[in-house]
Amino acid sequence: MTIQVDPQISVTAAKGSPEEKAARYLEQGNKLFAQGEFEKARVQYKNAARLKPTAAEPRYRLGLVEEVENNFLPAFADFLHAEEQDAHYHP
């Protein structure tokens, strides 16, 4: 599987604090998800999770990607991880 990365996304996400970068990765992931670009969205959400490993939102969003791709066990694991970080995110 080959993933092509939009250079604009990489350059945009490279600026700012870790929190700002994570927020941009999430925003870009959400746009890609809405466009049906699930693999690209997954990359952006993983980038956000790498920068903020205790944040619930990136893991929840990864769960949504897994769910839409019918990968239910990884989706449930991501949802549970998100819930452990913030009870607002429950499966």
Coordinates of all heavy atoms in Angstrom, one line a residue:
M1 N 0.8 -1.2 0.0 CA 0.0 0.0 0.0 C 0.9 1.2 0.0 O 1.8 1.3 0.8 CB -0.9 0.0 1.2 CG -1.7 1.2 1.4 SD -2.7 1.4 2.9 CE -3.7 -0.1 2.8
T2 N 0.6 2.2 -0.9 CA 1.4 3.4 -1.0 C 0.5 4.6 -0.6 O -0.7 4.7 -1.0 CB 1.9 3.6 -2.4 OG1 2.6 2.5 -2.8 CG2 2.7 4.9 -2.5
I3 N 1.0 5.4 0.3 CA 0.3 6.6 0.7 C 1.0 7.8 0.2 O 2.2 8.0 0.4 CB 0.2 6.7 2.3 CG1 -0.5 5.4 2.8 CG2 -0.5 7.9 2.7 CD1 -0.4 5.4 4.3
Q4 N 0.3 8.6 -0.5 CA 0.9 9.9 -1.0 C 0.5 11.0 0.0 O -0.7 11.1 0.3 CB 0.4 10.2 -2.4 CG 0.8 9.2 -3.4 CD 0.4 9.6 -4.8 OE1 -0.5 10.5 -5.0 NE2 0.9 8.9 -5.8
V5 N 1.5 11.7 0.4 CA 1.3 12.8 1.4 C 1.3 14.1 0.6 O 2.2 14.4 -0.2 CB 2.3 12.8 2.5 CG1 2.1 13.9 3.4 CG2 2.3 11.4 3.2
D6 N 0.3 14.9 0.9 CA 0.2 16.2 0.3 C 1.3 17.1 1.0 O 1.3 17.3 2.2 CB -1.2 16.8 0.6 CG -1.4 18.2 0.0 OD1 -0.5 18.8 -0.4 OD2 -2.6 18.6 -0.1
P7 N 2.2 17.7 0.2 CA 3.3 18.5 0.8 C 2.8 19.7 1.6 O 3.4 20.1 2.5 CB 4.1 18.9 -0.4 CG 3.6 18.2 -1.6 CD 2.3 17.5 -1.2
Q8 N 1.7 20.2 1.2 CA 1.1 21.4 1.9 C 0.7 21.0 3.3 O 0.9 21.8 4.2 CB -0.1 21.9 1.1 CG -0.7 23.2 1.7 CD 0.2 24.3 1.7 OE1 1.0 24.5 0.8 NE2 0.1 25.2 2.7
I9 N 0.2 19.8 3.5 CA -0.2 19.4 4.8 C 1.1 19.3 5.7 O 1.1 19.7 6.8 CB -0.9 18.0 4.8 CG1 -2.3 18.2 4.1 CG2 -1.1 17.4 6.1 CD1 -3.0 17.0 3.9
S10 N 2.1 18.7 5.1 CA 3.4 18.5 5.9 C 4.0 19.8 6.3 O 4.4 20.0 7.4 CB 4.4 17.7 5.1 OG 3.8 16.4 4.8
V11 N 4.0 20.8 5.4 CA 4.6 22.1 5.7 C 3.8 22.8 6.7 O 4.3 23.4 7.6 CB 4.7 22.9 4.4 CG1 5.1 24.3 4.7 CG2 5.8 22.3 3.5
T12 N 2.5 22.8 6.5 CA 1.6 23.5 7.4 C 1.7 23.0 8.9 O 1.7 23.7 9.8 CB 0.1 23.4 7.0 OG1 0.0 23.9 5.6 CG2 -0.8 24.2 7.9
A13 N 1.7 21.7 9.0 CA 1.8 21.1 10.3 C 3.1 21.2 11.0 O 3.2 21.0 12.2 CB 1.4 19.6 10.2
A14 N 4.2 21.6 10.3 CA 5.5 21.7 10.8 C 5.7 22.9 11.7 O 6.7 23.0 12.4 CB 6.5 21.7 9.7
K15 N 4.8 23.9 11.7 CA 5.0 25.1 12.4 C 4.2 25.1 13.7 O 3.1 24.6 13.8 CB 4.6 26.3 11.6 CG 5.3 26.5 10.3 CD 4.7 27.6 9.5 CE 5.4 27.6 8.1 NZ 4.7 28.6 7.2
G16 N 4.8 25.7 14.8 CA 4.1 25.9 16.0 C 4.4 25.0 17.2 O 5.3 24.1 17.0
S17 N 3.7 25.1 18.3 CA 3.9 24.3 19.5 C 3.3 22.9 19.2 O 2.5 22.7 18.3 CB 3.2 24.9 20.7 OG 1.8 24.8 20.5
P18 N 3.7 21.9 20.1 CA 3.1 20.6 19.9 C 1.6 20.6 19.9 O 0.9 19.9 19.2 CB 3.7 19.8 21.0 CG 5.0 20.5 21.3 CD 4.7 21.9 21.1
E19 N 1.0 21.5 20.8 CA -0.4 21.5 20.9 C -1.0 22.1 19.6 O -2.1 21.6 19.1 CB -0.9 22.4 22.1 CG -0.6 21.8 23.4 CD 0.9 21.9 23.8 OE1 1.6 22.7 23.3 OE2 1.3 21.1 24.8
E20 N -0.4 23.1 19.0 CA -0.9 23.7 17.8 C -0.7 22.7 16.6 O -1.6 22.6 15.8 CB -0.1 25.0 17.5 CG -0.4 26.1 18.4 CD 0.6 27.3 18.3 OE1 1.8 27.1 17.9 OE2 0.2 28.4 18.5
K21 N 0.4 22.0 16.6 CA 0.6 21.0 15.6 C -0.4 19.9 15.6 O -1.0 19.6 14.6 CB 2.0 20.4 15.7 CG 3.1 21.4 15.3 CD 4.5 20.7 15.5 CE 5.6 21.6 15.4 NZ 6.9 20.9 15.6
A22 N -0.7 19.4 16.8 CA -1.7 18.4 17.0 C -3.0 18.9 16.6 O -3.8 18.1 15.9 CB -1.7 17.9 18.5
A23 N -3.4 20.1 16.9 CA -4.7 20.6 16.5 C -4.8 20.7 15.0 O -5.9 20.4 14.4 CB -4.9 22.0 17.1
R24 N -3.7 21.1 14.3 CA -3.7 21.2 12.9 C -3.8 19.8 12.3 O -4.6 19.6 11.3 CB -2.5 21.9 12.4 CG -2.6 23.4 12.5 CD -1.6 24.2 11.7 NE -0.2 23.9 12.1 CZ 0.4 24.6 13.1 NH1 -0.2 25.6 13.7 NH2 1.6 24.3 13.4
Y25 N -3.1 18.8 12.8 CA -3.2 17.5 12.3 C -4.7 17.0 12.5 O -5.2 16.3 11.5 CB -2.3 16.5 13.1 CG -0.8 16.6 12.6 CD1 0.2 16.7 13.6 CD2 -0.5 16.5 11.3 CE1 1.5 16.8 13.2 CE2 0.9 16.5 10.9 CZ 1.8 16.7 11.9 OH 3.2 16.7 11.5
L26 N -5.3 17.2 13.6 CA -6.7 16.8 13.8 C -7.6 17.5 12.8 O -8.5 16.9 12.2 CB -7.2 17.2 15.2 CG -6.8 16.2 16.3 CD1 -7.2 16.7 17.6 CD2 -7.5 14.8 16.0
E27 N -7.4 18.8 12.6 CA -8.2 19.5 11.6 C -8.1 19.0 10.2 O -9.1 18.8 9.5 CB -7.8 21.0 11.7 CG -8.7 21.9 10.7 CD -8.2 23.3 10.7 OE1 -7.7 23.8 11.8 OE2 -8.4 24.0 9.7
Q28 N -6.8 18.7 9.8 CA -6.6 18.2 8.5 C -7.2 16.8 8.4 O -7.7 16.4 7.4 CB -5.1 18.2 8.2 CG -4.5 19.6 8.1 CD -3.0 19.6 8.2 OE1 -2.4 18.6 8.5 NE2 -2.4 20.8 8.0
G29 N -7.0 16.0 9.4 CA -7.6 14.6 9.5 C -9.1 14.7 9.3 O -9.7 13.9 8.6
N30 N -9.7 15.6 10.0 CA -11.2 15.7 9.9 C -11.6 16.1 8.5 O -12.6 15.5 8.0 CB -11.7 16.8 10.9 CG -11.5 16.3 12.3 OD1 -11.4 15.1 12.6 ND2 -11.6 17.2 13.3
K31 N -10.9 17.0 7.8 CA -11.2 17.4 6.5 C -11.1 16.2 5.5 O -11.9 15.9 4.7 CB -10.3 18.5 6.0 CG -10.7 19.8 6.6 CD -9.7 20.9 6.1 CE -10.0 22.2 6.9 NZ -9.0 23.3 6.5
L32 N -10.0 15.4 5.7 CA -9.7 14.3 4.9 C -10.8 13.2 5.1 O -11.3 12.5 4.2 CB -8.3 13.7 5.1 CG -7.2 14.6 4.6 CD1 -5.9 14.2 5.2 CD2 -7.1 14.6 3.1
F33 N -11.1 13.0 6.4 CA -12.2 12.0 6.7 C -13.5 12.4 6.0 O -14.2 11.5 5.5 CB -12.3 11.9 8.2 CG -13.3 10.9 8.7 CD1 -12.8 9.6 9.0 CD2 -14.6 11.1 8.9 CE1 -13.6 8.6 9.4 CE2 -15.5 10.1 9.3 CZ -15.0 8.9 9.6
A34 N -13.9 13.6 6.1 CA -15.1 14.1 5.5 C -15.1 13.9 4.0 O -16.2 13.7 3.4 CB -15.3 15.6 5.8
Q35 N -13.9 13.9 3.4 CA -13.8 13.7 1.9 C -13.7 12.2 1.6 O -13.5 11.9 0.4 CB -12.5 14.4 1.4 CG -12.6 15.9 1.5 CD -11.3 16.6 1.3 OE1 -10.3 16.0 1.0 NE2 -11.3 17.9 1.3
G36 N -13.7 11.3 2.6 CA -13.6 9.9 2.3 C -12.2 9.4 2.1 O -11.9 8.3 1.7
E37 N -11.2 10.3 2.5 CA -9.8 9.9 2.4 C -9.3 9.3 3.7 O -8.5 9.9 4.4 CB -9.0 11.2 2.0 CG -9.3 11.8 0.7 CD -8.7 11.0 -0.5 OE1 -7.8 10.2 -0.3 OE2 -9.1 11.3 -1.6
F38 N -9.8 8.1 4.0 CA -9.6 7.6 5.3 C -8.2 7.2 5.6 O -7.7 7.4 6.8 CB -10.5 6.3 5.5 CG -11.9 6.6 5.2 CD1 -12.6 6.0 4.2 CD2 -12.6 7.6 6.0 CE1 -14.0 6.3 4.0 CE2 -13.9 7.9 5.7 CZ -14.6 7.2 4.7
E39 N -7.4 6.7 4.7 CA -6.0 6.4 5.0 C -5.2 7.7 5.3 O -4.4 7.7 6.2 CB -5.4 5.6 3.8 CG -4.0 5.0 4.1 CD -4.1 4.0 5.3 OE1 -5.0 3.3 5.4 OE2 -3.1 4.1 6.1
K40 N -5.4 8.7 4.5 CA -4.7 10.0 4.8 C -5.2 10.6 6.1 O -4.4 11.1 6.8 CB -5.0 11.0 3.6 CG -4.3 10.6 2.3 CD -4.6 11.6 1.2 CE -4.0 11.2 -0.1 NZ -4.3 12.2 -1.2
A41 N -6.5 10.4 6.4 CA -7.0 10.9 7.7 C -6.3 10.2 8.8 O -5.9 10.8 9.8 CB -8.5 10.8 7.8
R42 N -6.1 8.8 8.7 CA -5.5 8.0 9.7 C -4.1 8.5 10.0 O -3.7 8.6 11.1 CB -5.4 6.6 9.2 CG -4.6 5.7 10.2 CD -4.5 4.3 9.7 NE -5.7 3.5 9.9 CZ -6.4 3.0 8.9 NH1 -6.1 3.1 7.7 NH2 -7.6 2.4 9.2
V43 N -3.3 8.9 8.9 CA -2.0 9.4 9.1 C -2.0 10.7 9.9 O -1.2 10.8 10.8 CB -1.3 9.6 7.7 CG1 0.0 10.4 7.9 CG2 -1.1 8.3 7.0
Q44 N -2.9 11.6 9.6 CA -3.0 12.8 10.3 C -3.4 12.6 11.8 O -2.8 13.2 12.7 CB -4.0 13.8 9.7 CG -3.6 14.2 8.3 CD -2.2 14.8 8.2 OE1 -1.9 15.6 8.9 NE2 -1.4 14.3 7.2
Y45 N -4.3 11.7 12.1 CA -4.7 11.4 13.4 C -3.6 10.7 14.2 O -3.3 11.0 15.4 CB -5.9 10.5 13.5 CG -7.2 11.1 12.9 CD1 -8.1 10.4 12.2 CD2 -7.4 12.5 13.1 CE1 -9.3 10.9 11.7 CE2 -8.6 13.1 12.5 CZ -9.5 12.3 11.9 OH -10.7 12.9 11.4
K46 N -2.8 9.9 13.5 CA -1.7 9.2 14.2 C -0.6 10.3 14.5 O 0.0 10.2 15.6 CB -1.1 8.1 13.3 CG -1.9 6.9 13.4 CD -1.2 5.8 12.6 CE -2.0 4.5 12.7 NZ -1.3 3.3 12.1
N47 N -0.4 11.3 13.6 CA 0.5 12.4 13.9 C 0.1 13.1 15.2 O 0.9 13.5 16.0 CB 0.7 13.3 12.7 CG 1.5 12.7 11.6 OD1 2.3 11.8 11.8 ND2 1.2 13.1 10.4
A48 N -1.2 13.4 15.2 CA -1.7 14.1 16.4 C -1.6 13.3 17.7 O -1.2 13.9 18.7 CB -3.2 14.5 16.2
A49 N -1.8 12.0 17.6 CA -1.7 11.1 18.8 C -0.2 11.0 19.2 O 0.1 10.9 20.4 CB -2.2 9.8 18.5
R50 N 0.7 11.1 18.3 CA 2.1 11.0 18.6 C 2.5 12.3 19.4 O 3.3 12.2 20.3 CB 2.9 10.9 17.3 CG 4.4 10.8 17.5 CD 5.2 10.7 16.2 NE 4.7 11.5 15.1 CZ 5.0 12.8 14.9 NH1 5.8 13.4 15.8 NH2 4.5 13.5 13.9
L51 N 2.0 13.4 19.0 CA 2.3 14.7 19.6 C 1.7 14.8 21.0 O 2.2 15.4 21.9 CB 2.0 15.9 18.7 CG 2.8 16.1 17.5 CD1 2.3 17.1 16.6 CD2 4.3 16.4 17.9
K52 N 0.5 14.3 21.1 CA -0.3 14.4 22.4 C -0.8 13.0 22.7 O -2.0 12.7 22.6 CB -1.4 15.4 22.2 CG -0.9 16.8 22.0 CD -2.0 17.8 22.1 CE -2.5 17.9 23.5 NZ -3.5 18.8 23.8
P53 N 0.1 12.1 23.2 CA -0.3 10.7 23.5 C -1.4 10.5 24.5 O -2.1 9.5 24.5 CB 1.0 10.1 23.9 CG 1.9 11.2 24.3 CD 1.4 12.4 23.6
T54 N -1.7 11.5 25.4 CA -2.7 11.4 26.4 C -4.0 12.1 26.0 O -5.0 12.1 26.7 CB -2.3 11.9 27.7 OG1 -1.9 13.3 27.6 CG2 -1.1 11.2 28.3
A55 N -4.1 12.6 24.8 CA -5.3 13.3 24.3 C -6.3 12.2 23.8 O -5.9 11.3 23.1 CB -5.0 14.3 23.2
A56 N -7.5 12.4 24.1 CA -8.6 11.5 23.7 C -9.0 11.6 22.3 O -9.3 10.6 21.6 CB -9.8 11.6 24.6
E57 N -9.1 12.8 21.8 CA -9.6 13.1 20.5 C -8.9 12.4 19.3 O -9.6 11.8 18.5 CB -9.6 14.6 20.2 CG -10.3 15.0 18.9 CD -11.8 14.9 18.9 OE1 -12.4 14.8 20.0 OE2 -12.4 15.0 17.8
P58 N -7.6 12.4 19.3 CA -6.9 11.6 18.2 C -7.3 10.2 18.2 O -7.5 9.6 17.1 CB -5.4 11.9 18.4 CG -5.3 13.1 19.2 CD -6.6 13.1 20.1
R59 N -7.3 9.5 19.4 CA -7.6 8.1 19.4 C -9.0 7.8 19.1 O -9.3 6.8 18.4 CB -7.3 7.6 20.8 CG -5.8 7.5 21.2 CD -5.0 6.7 20.1 NE -5.3 5.3 20.1 CZ -4.5 4.4 20.7 NH1 -3.4 4.8 21.4 NH2 -4.9 3.2 20.7
Y60 N -9.9 8.7 19.5 CA -11.3 8.6 19.1 C -11.5 8.7 17.6 O -12.2 7.8 17.0 CB -12.2 9.7 19.8 CG -13.6 9.7 19.4 CD1 -14.5 8.7 19.9 CD2 -14.1 10.6 18.4 CE1 -15.8 8.7 19.5 CE2 -15.4 10.6 18.0 CZ -16.3 9.6 18.6 OH -17.6 9.6 18.2
R61 N -10.8 9.6 17.0 CA -10.9 9.8 15.5 C -10.3 8.6 14.8 O -10.8 8.2 13.7 CB -10.2 11.1 15.1 CG -10.8 12.3 15.6 CD -12.2 12.5 15.0 NE -12.9 13.6 15.5 CZ -14.0 14.1 15.0 NH1 -14.5 13.5 13.9 NH2 -14.6 15.1 15.6
L62 N -9.2 8.0 15.3 CA -8.6 6.8 14.7 C -9.6 5.7 14.8 O -9.8 4.9 13.9 CB -7.3 6.4 15.5 CG -6.1 7.2 15.1 CD1 -5.0 6.9 16.1 CD2 -5.6 6.8 13.7
G63 N -10.4 5.6 15.9 CA -11.4 4.6 16.0 C -12.5 4.8 15.0 O -13.0 3.8 14.4
L64 N -12.8 6.0 14.7 CA -13.8 6.3 13.6 C -13.3 5.8 12.2 O -14.1 5.2 11.5 CB -14.2 7.8 13.5 CG -14.9 8.3 14.7 CD1 -15.1 9.8 14.5 CD2 -16.3 7.6 14.9
V65 N -12.0 6.0 12.0 CA -11.5 5.5 10.7 C -11.5 4.0 10.7 O -12.0 3.4 9.7 CB -10.0 6.0 10.5 CG1 -9.3 5.3 9.4 CG2 -10.0 7.5 10.4
E66 N -11.1 3.4 11.7 CA -11.2 1.9 11.8 C -12.6 1.4 11.6 O -12.9 0.4 10.9 CB -10.6 1.4 13.1 CG -9.1 1.7 13.3 CD -8.2 1.0 12.3 OE1 -8.6 0.1 11.5 OE2 -7.0 1.3 12.3
E67 N -13.5 2.1 12.3 CA -14.9 1.6 12.2 C -15.5 1.7 10.8 O -16.1 0.8 10.3 CB -15.8 2.5 13.1 CG -17.2 2.1 13.2 CD -18.0 2.9 14.2 OE1 -17.9 4.2 14.2 OE2 -18.8 2.3 14.9
V68 N -15.2 2.8 10.1 CA -15.7 3.0 8.7 C -15.1 2.0 7.8 O -15.7 1.7 6.8 CB -15.5 4.5 8.3 CG1 -14.1 4.8 7.8 CG2 -16.5 4.8 7.2
E69 N -13.9 1.5 8.1 CA -13.2 0.5 7.3 C -13.5 -0.9 7.8 O -12.9 -1.9 7.4 CB -11.7 0.8 7.3 CG -11.4 2.1 6.5 CD -9.9 2.3 6.4 OE1 -9.1 1.7 7.2 OE2 -9.5 3.0 5.5
N70 N -14.5 -1.0 8.6 CA -15.0 -2.3 9.2 C -13.9 -3.1 9.9 O -13.9 -4.3 10.0 CB -15.6 -3.2 8.0 CG -16.8 -2.6 7.4 OD1 -17.6 -2.0 8.1 ND2 -16.9 -2.7 6.1
N71 N -13.0 -2.4 10.6 CA -12.0 -2.9 11.4 C -12.5 -2.7 12.9 O -12.0 -1.8 13.6 CB -10.6 -2.3 11.2 CG -10.1 -2.5 9.8 OD1 -10.3 -3.5 9.2 ND2 -9.5 -1.5 9.3
F72 N -13.4 -3.6 13.3 CA -14.1 -3.3 14.5 C -13.3 -3.5 15.8 O -13.5 -2.7 16.8 CB -15.4 -4.1 14.6 CG -16.4 -3.7 13.5 CD1 -16.7 -4.6 12.5 CD2 -16.9 -2.4 13.4 CE1 -17.5 -4.3 11.4 CE2 -17.7 -2.0 12.3 CZ -18.0 -3.0 11.3
L73 N -12.4 -4.5 15.8 CA -11.6 -4.7 17.0 C -10.7 -3.5 17.3 O -10.6 -3.0 18.4 CB -10.9 -6.0 17.0 CG -11.8 -7.2 17.2 CD1 -11.0 -8.5 17.0 CD2 -12.4 -7.2 18.6
P74 N -9.9 -3.1 16.2 CA -9.1 -1.9 16.4 C -9.9 -0.6 16.8 O -9.4 0.2 17.6 CB -8.3 -1.7 15.1 CG -8.4 -3.1 14.5 CD -9.6 -3.7 14.9
A75 N -11.0 -0.5 16.2 CA -11.9 0.6 16.4 C -12.3 0.7 17.9 O -12.2 1.7 18.6 CB -13.2 0.6 15.6
F76 N -12.7 -0.5 18.4 CA -13.2 -0.6 19.8 C -12.0 -0.3 20.7 O -12.1 0.4 21.7 CB -13.7 -2.0 20.1 CG -14.4 -2.0 21.4 CD1 -15.6 -1.4 21.7 CD2 -13.8 -2.8 22.5 CE1 -16.2 -1.4 22.9 CE2 -14.4 -2.9 23.7 CZ -15.6 -2.2 23.9
A77 N -10.8 -0.8 20.4 CA -9.6 -0.5 21.2 C -9.3 1.0 21.2 O -9.0 1.5 22.3 CB -8.4 -1.3 20.7
D78 N -9.4 1.6 20.1 CA -9.2 3.1 20.1 C -10.2 3.8 20.9 O -9.9 4.8 21.6 CB -9.2 3.6 18.6 CG -7.9 3.2 17.9 OD1 -6.8 3.2 18.5 OD2 -7.9 3.1 16.7
F79 N -11.5 3.4 20.8 CA -12.6 4.1 21.5 C -12.3 3.9 23.0 O -12.5 4.8 23.8 CB -13.9 3.5 21.1 CG -14.4 3.9 19.7 CD1 -15.2 3.0 19.0 CD2 -14.0 5.1 19.1 CE1 -15.6 3.3 17.7 CE2 -14.4 5.4 17.9 CZ -15.2 4.5 17.2
L80 N -11.9 2.7 23.4 CA -11.7 2.5 24.9 C -10.5 3.3 25.3 O -10.5 3.9 26.4 CB -11.4 1.0 25.1 CG -12.6 0.1 25.1 CD1 -12.1 -1.4 25.4 CD2 -13.6 0.5 26.2
H81 N -9.4 3.4 24.5 CA -8.3 4.2 24.9 C -8.7 5.7 25.0 O -8.3 6.4 26.0 CB -7.2 4.1 23.8 CG -6.0 4.8 24.2 ND1 -5.0 4.3 24.9 CD2 -5.5 6.1 23.9 CE1 -4.0 5.2 25.1 NE2 -4.3 6.3 24.5
A82 N -9.6 6.2 24.1 CA -10.1 7.5 24.2 C -10.9 7.7 25.5 O -10.7 8.7 26.2 CB -10.9 7.9 23.0
E83 N -11.7 6.7 25.8 CA -12.5 6.8 27.1 C -11.6 6.8 28.3 O -12.0 7.5 29.3 CB -13.5 5.7 27.1 CG -14.4 5.8 28.3 CD -15.3 4.6 28.5 OE1 -15.0 3.5 28.1 OE2 -16.4 4.8 29.0
E84 N -10.5 6.1 28.3 CA -9.6 6.1 29.4 C -9.0 7.5 29.7 O -8.7 7.8 30.8 CB -8.5 5.1 29.2 CG -9.0 3.6 29.3 CD -7.9 2.6 28.9 OE1 -6.8 3.1 28.5 OE2 -8.2 1.4 29.0
Q85 N -8.8 8.2 28.6 CA -8.2 9.5 28.7 C -9.3 10.6 29.1 O -9.0 11.6 29.8 CB -7.6 10.0 27.4 CG -6.5 9.0 26.9 CD -5.4 8.8 28.0 OE1 -5.0 9.7 28.6 NE2 -5.0 7.6 28.1
D86 N -10.5 10.4 28.6 CA -11.6 11.3 28.9 C -12.9 10.6 28.8 O -13.3 10.0 27.8 CB -11.6 12.4 27.8 CG -12.6 13.5 28.0 OD1 -13.6 13.3 28.8 OD2 -12.5 14.6 27.5
A87 N -13.6 10.5 29.9 CA -14.9 9.7 30.0 C -15.9 10.2 29.0 O -16.9 9.5 28.8 CB -15.4 9.7 31.4
H88 N -15.8 11.4 28.5 CA -16.7 11.9 27.5 C -16.8 11.1 26.3 O -17.8 11.0 25.6 CB -16.3 13.4 27.2 CG -17.1 13.9 26.0 ND1 -18.4 14.4 26.1 CD2 -16.7 14.1 24.8 CE1 -18.8 14.8 25.0 NE2 -17.8 14.7 24.1
Y89 N -15.6 10.4 26.0 CA -15.5 9.6 24.8 C -15.8 8.1 25.2 O -14.9 7.4 25.5 CB -14.1 9.7 24.2 CG -13.8 11.1 23.6 CD1 -13.1 12.0 24.4 CD2 -14.2 11.4 22.4 CE1 -12.8 13.3 24.0 CE2 -13.9 12.7 21.9 CZ -13.2 13.6 22.7 OH -12.9 14.8 22.2
H90 N -17.0 7.7 25.1 CA -17.3 6.3 25.5 C -17.8 5.6 24.3 O -18.5 6.2 23.4 CB -18.3 6.3 26.6 CG -19.6 7.0 26.4 ND1 -20.6 6.5 25.7 CD2 -20.0 8.2 26.7 CE1 -21.6 7.4 25.6 NE2 -21.2 8.5 26.2
P91 N -17.5 4.3 24.2 CA -17.9 3.5 23.0 C -19.4 3.3 22.9 O -20.1 3.4 23.9 CB -17.1 2.2 23.2 CG -16.5 2.2 24.5 CD -16.6 3.5 25.1

